[in-house]
């Protein structure tokens, strides 16, 4: 494919001058989700889960933060959409239909151009159009007319997944900023909001971590964050997400949604897998003050799926980040064993087995 990108917007497929996905997301407000193909372009990873999360994000934005999903009205900036979404089931069904129909227009073209052994990254964005809404009359809550002022955009580009298990493919993380102000939905403006953190990225760091206090680590800018920690039951009674007798000396920790982290698709899968396998898992933001107990760590998102962590850098002191200058920050670094640990391998293997059973088979549907 030679890094060719495709964009489907308003019924038109573009082949040339398609921007990188980050630039595309910065250009339009809306709810979005990103996944990729799997097994040489034959399936879409966890597509049903992504559609459900996308429709949920769009509904939440319409109801609570319409400025994050509707294009700015330059003529009347104070105009806000007089509509709310009540029926989540009907909404999900219609969003699913809109996105699937759009995907069927552009994905066959991208698959045809794809090089053998290459995968495709697929980003679906649902954006509202206030001009269309203003032109309509008598838009009732839950009415089918609601869907007439939403546009679906699809960005597709080549992607080469990192090979799991190789030391040099591990993640190198640095804690550089505060968490999201709004995490209930996945929305495109986050791409713009996180850009100032880039100037604090140390050399060779591949992902930036977020925390509100410099101790409890919430997530990465584009990933969810997990640690495999030696068991510490002091103060943890009643916080485990399963009731199995503990056959392990470690537990999995990740920040809870209530702390302001994105409800990632792969994050949820990890929790489900731990529950099924009897692996102790606790939704608590891993505290840096106990990093000596961390035996393994990994990050997840729908492109990398699961990536083991090699190193984590934390600023010392935390307040040094206020300088907004990389040169003025000292770092404390934790190094993990080379390559993924045993527990990370177990969880990754289970995720990829789920990918085979939950994959959206493309040859039949496109």
């Amino acid at each position: 494919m030679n890094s060719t990108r495709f964009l489907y917007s308003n019924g038109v497929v573009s082949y040339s001058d398609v921007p990188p996905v980050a630039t595309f997301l910065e250009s339009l407000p809306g709810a979005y989700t990103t996944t990729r193909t799997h097994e040489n372009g034959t399936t879409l990873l966890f597509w049903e889960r992504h559609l459900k999360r996308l429709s949920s994000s769009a509904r939440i934005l319409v109801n609570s933060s319409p400025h994050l999903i509707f294009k700015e009205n330059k003529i009347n900036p104070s105009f806000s959409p007089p509509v709310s979404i009540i029926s989540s089931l009907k909404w999900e069904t219609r969003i699913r239909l809109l996105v699937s129909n759009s995907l069927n227009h552009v994905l066959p073209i991208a698959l045809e151009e794809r090089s053998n052994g290459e995968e495709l990254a697929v980003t679906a964005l649902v954006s509202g159009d206030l001009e269309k809404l203003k032109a309509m009359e008598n838009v009732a809550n839950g009415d089918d007319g609601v869907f007439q002022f939403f546009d679906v955009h699809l960005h597709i580009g080549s992607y080469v997944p990192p090979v799991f298990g190789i030391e040099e493919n591990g993640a190198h993380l640095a804690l550089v900023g505060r968490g999201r102000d709004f995490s209930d939905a996945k929305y495109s403006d986050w791409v713009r909001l996180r850009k100032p953190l880039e100037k604090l990225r140390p050399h060779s760091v591949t992902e930036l971590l977020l925390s509100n206090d410099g101790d409890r680590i919430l997530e990465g800018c584009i990933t969810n964050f997990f640690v495999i920690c030696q068991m510490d039951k002091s103060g943890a009674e009643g916080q485990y997400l399963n009731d199995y007798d503990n056959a392990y000396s470690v537990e999995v920790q990740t920040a809870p949604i209530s702390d302001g982290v994105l409800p990632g698709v792969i994050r949820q899968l990890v929790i489900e897998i731990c529950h099924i396998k009897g692996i102790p898992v606790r939704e608590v933001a891993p505290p840096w003050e106990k990093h000596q107990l961390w035996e393994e760590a990994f990050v997840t998102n729908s492109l990398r799926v699961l990536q083991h962590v090699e190193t984590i850098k934390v600023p010392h002191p935390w307040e040094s980040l206020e300088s907004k200058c990389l040169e003025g920050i000292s770092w404390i670094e934790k190094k993990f064993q080379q390559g993924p640990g045993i527990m990370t391998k177990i969880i990754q293997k289970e995720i990829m087995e789920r990918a085979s059973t939950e994959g959206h088979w493309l040859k039949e549907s496109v």
Side-chain angles (χ1 to χ4, degrees):
M1 188 185 237
N2 298 322
S3 299
T4 301
R5 305 183 188 102
F6 297 87
L7 182 64
Y8 179 85
S9 293
N10 298 321
V12 177
V13 179
S14 301
Y15 306 85
S16 59
D17 299 323
V18 176
V21 66
T23 304
F24 157 68
L25 289 172
E26 280 190 88
S27 69
L28 289 167
Y32 81 98
T33 193
T34 296
T35 186
R36 67 170 172 87
T37 61
H38 178 52
E39 295 181 333
N40 201 22
T42 58
T43 61
L44 272 178
L45 282 176
F46 307 112
W47 184 235
E48 293 301 312
R49 291 177 183 255
H50 280 279
L51 286 176
K52 185 173 183 178
R53 200 262 299 272
L54 176 61
S55 63
S56 175
S57 291
R59 178 169 53 85
I60 289 170
L61 293 180
V62 169
N63 288 340
S64 65
S65 301
H67 65 286
L68 293 175
I69 193 169
F70 283 94
K71 300 173 187 175
E72 180 183 3
N73 187 317
K74 296 181 179 179
I75 299 176
N76 183 8
S78 63
F79 179 77
S80 60
V83 63
S84 62
I85 307 302
I86 298 174
S87 173
S88 60
L89 180 60
K90 184 176 183 179
W91 172 260
E92 181 178 330
T93 301
R94 292 302 298 271
I95 289 292
R96 182 186 300 269
L97 182 62
L98 286 171
V99 174
S100 296
N101 286 344
S102 300
L103 189 69
N104 287 338
H105 281 91
V106 64
L107 191 55
I109 300 170
L111 287 171
E112 185 69 24
E113 296 295 324
R114 181 188 63 88
S115 300
N116 187 47
E118 207 170 44
E119 302 295 350
L120 300 175
V122 178
T123 296
L125 173 75
V126 175
S127 184
D129 192 326
L130 284 177
E131 296 304 320
K132 289 182 180 180
L133 175 58
K134 285 184 66 179
M136 296 174 61
E137 296 181 357
N138 300 322
V139 178
N141 289 347
D143 188 78
D144 286 346
V146 166
F147 298 95
Q148 297 179 31
F149 55 80
F150 284 98
D151 296 324
V152 174
H153 308 269
L154 282 163
H155 185 287
I156 299 179
S158 59
Y159 181 75
V160 179
V163 177
F164 178 78
I166 300 177
E167 177 187 342
E168 52 266 32
N169 285 346
H172 296 271
L173 315 179
L175 183 61
V176 299
R178 298 182 63 83
R180 306 169 190 255
D181 291 328
F182 183 77
S183 62
D184 294 343
K186 187 166 184 175
Y187 58 97
S188 58
D189 198 43
W190 174 244
V191 177
R192 177 188 63 84
L193 293 173
R194 72 180 188 232
K195 285 182 74 173
L197 299 177
E198 287 296 326
K199 63 184 179 182
L200 299 178
R201 182 190 292 268
H203 176 68
S204 77
V205 163
T206 58
E207 170 65 322
L208 304 177
L209 294 175
L210 306 174
S211 171
N212 288 330
D213 59 9
D215 181 44
R216 298 180 304 119
I217 299 180
L218 301 174
E219 60 182 342
C221 281
I222 58 172
T223 61
N224 287 113
F225 174 71
F226 294 80
V227 300
I228 312 297
C229 183
Q230 295 176 26
M231 291 287 282
D232 178 12
K233 292 190 175 181
S234 60
E237 187 175 352
Q239 296 184 32
Y240 292 100
L241 300 184
N242 56 45
D243 297 323
Y244 296 98
D245 292 333
N246 181 25
Y248 298 91
S249 59
V250 295
E251 66 179 10
V252 177
Q253 294 181 356
T254 192
I257 300 300
S258 59
D259 275 4
V261 304
L262 192 72
V265 168
I266 307 300
R267 175 190 180 277
Q268 180 59 34
L269 272 168
V270 171
I271 292 174
E272 291 175 12
I273 286 167
C274 288
H275 182 81
I276 291 170
K277 301 293 289 184
I279 299 170
V281 56
R282 190 154 55 105
E283 286 190 280
V284 59
W288 176 254
E289 68 175 0
K290 294 188 177 181
H291 70 270
Q292 297 92 344
L293 300 177
W294 299 355
E295 296 189 354
E296 307 171 34
F298 59 86
V299 291
T300 61
N301 70 15
S302 292
L303 291 182
R304 308 181 195 191
V305 182
L306 185 151
Q307 184 180 30
H308 76 274
V309 172
E310 290 283 336
T311 62
I312 301 176
K313 295 178 185 290
V314 170
H316 181 72
W318 165 249
E319 291 75 18
S320 63
L321 290 177
E322 296 176 2
S323 68
K324 309 295 184 183
C325 179
L326 180 61
E327 289 73 18
I329 301 174
S330 298
W331 302 92
I332 300 174
E333 183 177 69
K334 178 176 179 64
K335 294 183 178 180
F336 294 90
Q337 68 175 48
Q338 296 179 346
I342 294 175
M343 193 66 71
T344 301
K345 289 179 179 178
I346 291 173
I347 295 172
Q348 190 272 349
K349 180 176 180 291
E350 291 293 324
I351 291 176
M352 299 318 295
E353 289 181 359
R354 287 280 198 99
S356 298
T357 59
E358 288 192 37
H360 180 73
W361 181 247
L362 295 175
K363 300 302 182 182
E364 293 179 353
S365 57
V366 176

